[in-house]
């Protein structure tokens, strides 16, 4: 990550999606604008997306996180 020039990354704040487009067209538009969906920036922060080799879903992980006491308490 230290060798990444942040100025060469697309800023997700500049991505705009036309809701009138079809799902496929919206996806293509997003990819065209973001260039690399696994590595982009948000203002001055580099965002790197990676995936674990697991069968756990996002919902499973969020539930685990909230029940661990690290997440916000649900009221």
């Amino acid at each position: 990550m230290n060798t990444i020039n942040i100025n060469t990354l697309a800023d997700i704040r500049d991505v705009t999606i036309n809701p009138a487009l079809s799902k496929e067209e919206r996806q293509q538009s997003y990819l065209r604008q973001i260039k690399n969906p696994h590595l982009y920036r948000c203002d001055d922060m580099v965002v790197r997306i990676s995936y674990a080799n697991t069968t756990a879903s996002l919902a499973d992980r969020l539930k685990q996180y909230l029940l661990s006491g690290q997440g916000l308490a649900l009221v």
Side-chain angles (χ1 to χ4, degrees):
M1 292 286 286
N2 293 336
T3 61
I4 296 169
N5 181 349
I6 193 170
N7 296 317
T8 63
L9 300 176
D11 191 328
I12 198 162
R13 297 172 309 150
D14 298 329
V15 173
T16 58
I17 304 297
N18 180 347
L21 298 175
S22 70
K23 178 181 176 181
E24 292 78 18
E25 290 170 321
R26 290 192 311 267
Q27 290 171 341
Q28 290 172 359
S29 176
Y30 172 77
L31 290 173
R32 196 170 30 257
Q33 293 176 68
I34 203 71
K35 298 178 183 117
N36 182 349
H38 300 284
L39 186 65
Y40 55 88
R41 69 183 173 109
C42 182
D43 195 18
D44 62 349
M45 183 183 309
V46 174
V47 179
R48 181 175 165 231
I49 306 294
S50 62
Y51 302 94
N53 186 14
T54 180
T55 59
S57 69
L58 177 59
D60 293 336
R61 292 297 187 209
L62 287 173
K63 182 178 177 182
Q64 178 184 21
Y65 178 70
L66 291 172
L67 292 175
S68 73
Q70 296 175 28
L72 299 174
L74 299 177
V75 180

